[in-house]
Amino acid sequence: QVQLVESGGGLVQAGGSLRLSCTASGLTFDYYAMGWFRQAPGKEREGISCISWRGGSTYYGDGVKGRFTISRDNAKNTLYLQMNSLKPEDTAMYYCAVIGYASCGESWSRAGGSYWGQGTQVTVSS
């Protein structure tokens, strides 16, 4: 079965950086667009970023543009999210997800993914 395992979360001060990883198994990783989402307590799920199957296209939510970078290593079946200039409002549980075949599509942020990881907590202190 498909498994997605996130890692790399933690506690960091405002202005700091973290790199999240998501290792996938049970699927042909390089066939699929992948995404990162987050959800803070009491808030709706937010689409952060999406990357196409070969990494040629990337998309970002407005709140993270210029600060976060999504990437993937298809040889390692791993998705990454480099997060710089972190702010307290970035505090949330972060999830990776399988978006769909090849491309992100126009509705990736709203539609979410077909498979999800268990999440990794990111906490940014002020």
Side-chain angles (χ1 to χ4, degrees), residues 18-126:
L18 285 173
R19 188 175 83 153
L20 305 184
S21 299
C22 170
T23 302
S25 60
L27 77 167
T28 307
F29 182 72
D30 59 1
Y31 279 11
Y32 294 96
M34 299 291 295
W36 286 100
F37 296 77
R38 68 186 180 188
Q39 189 164 22
K43 294 189 176 182
E44 292 187 354
R45 185 185 67 202
E46 177 186 5
I48 299 172
S49 187
C50 185
I51 187 167
S52 62
W53 60 340
R54 303 295 167 84
S57 298
T58 57
Y59 305 89
Y60 296 92
D62 289 340
V64 304
K65 284 179 182 177
R67 299 189 299 123
F68 290 11
T69 302
I70 192 170
S71 62
R72 64 191 296 163
D73 185 337
N74 286 345
K76 295 182 178 180
N77 283 9
T78 302
L79 175 73
Y80 301 101
L81 185 70
Q82 178 67 43
M83 306 187 295
N84 298 329
S85 303
L86 283 161
K87 305 175 182 180
E89 51 263 44
D90 294 318
T91 295
M93 187 70 80
Y94 284 69
Y95 301 90
C96 67
V98 179
I99 299 300
Y101 179 71
S103 64
C104 294
E106 295 183 359
S107 63
W108 66 269
S109 180
R110 182 176 66 254
S114 51
Y115 297 97
W116 296 85
Q118 84 289 349
T120 186
Q121 178 68 38
V122 172
T123 303
V124 184
S125 63
S126 58

